Amino acid sequence: MNKSTTITTSTDETEAFAEEFASTLSGGETILLYGELGAGKTYFVKGLARGLGVTDEVTSPTFALHNVYEGRLRLNHFDFYRIENSEEVVVLGLDEIFAQPGAVSAIEWSERVTELLPSHCISIRLTKLGDDTRRIEVER
């Protein structure tokens, strides 16, 4: 298990960190994003998308549950904040998209679907330390 911690002091720095992190990805990864509302999970995904060569605007899929972006690798962005239980994800077939070869899946609120997740995931925990300051812990 490999663990690292970074402190960022702006949303731009959070996005830049995620953009650099994206260069380490080769497809098939499932990234679990943890943090309270407003911790910067969507900003992290915006940077991740930029690092994967996505040129479309990245928005949170809070109501859609799943957004797809094309770049060097496909980015599947999930937000399960509004689901009641993991059965909703299964019925929609979204669990079949996790860990796709040639794609990266970034999942916000993954703790709501723990039993559906692949066995090997990258965990990213964002913690608010101040108005714009975040601690980003990456565990592979």
Side-chain angles (χ1 to χ4, degrees), residues 85-132:
N85 58 61
S86 59
E87 184 62 26
E88 292 177 48
V89 173
V90 172
V91 167
L92 295 171
L94 297 178
D95 58 315
E96 297 172 15
I97 300 171
F98 305 158
Q100 275 185 337
V104 172
S105 290
I107 306 174
E108 297 185 42
W109 303 100
S110 62
E111 55 271 31
R112 296 175 186 228
V113 296
T114 304
E115 66 278 8
L116 302 177
L117 299 172
S119 58
H120 299 291
C121 296
I122 300 168
S123 295
I124 298 184
R125 184 167 306 280
L126 293 106
T127 307
K128 289 170 74 168
L129 301 178
D131 286 346
D132 295 318

Side-chain angles (χ1 to χ4, degrees), residues 24-137:
T24 69
L25 304 175
S26 57
E29 293 93 352
T30 300
I31 300 167
L32 311 179
L33 297 159
Y34 298 99
E36 62 186 89
L37 285 171
K41 296 180 295 293
T42 300
Y43 283 108
F44 187 92
V45 175
K46 287 180 181 195
L48 187 68
R50 195 167 58 234
L52 293 174
V54 171
T55 56
D56 293 335
E57 180 184 353
V58 173
T59 59
S60 178
T62 301
F63 295 99
L65 298 181
H66 176 220
N67 289 341
V68 180
Y69 303 97
E70 296 296 335
R72 169 176 70 83
L73 298 169
R74 172 177 289 133
L75 174 60
N76 291 299
H77 182 196
F78 300 92
D79 184 333
F80 294 139
Y81 181 72
R82 296 197 176 280
I83 69 160
E84 295 294 323
N85 58 61
S86 59
E87 184 62 26
E88 292 177 48
V89 173
V90 172
V91 167
L92 295 171
L94 297 178
D95 58 315
E96 297 172 15
I97 300 171
F98 305 158
Q100 275 185 337
V104 172
S105 290
I107 306 174
E108 297 185 42
W109 303 100
S110 62
E111 55 271 31
R112 296 175 186 228
V113 296
T114 304
E115 66 278 8
L116 302 177
L117 299 172
S119 58
H120 299 291
C121 296
I122 300 168
S123 295
I124 298 184
R125 184 167 306 280
L126 293 106
T127 307
K128 289 170 74 168
L129 301 178
D131 286 346
D132 295 318
T133 304
R134 302 291 184 266
R135 178 177 55 238
I136 303 172
E137 298 168 284

Side-chain angles (χ1 to χ4, degrees), residues 7-20:
I7 303 292
T8 61
T9 58
S10 68
T11 55
D12 287 343
E13 281 185 19
T14 298
E15 287 186 36
F17 173 82
E19 182 176 2
E20 186 175 313

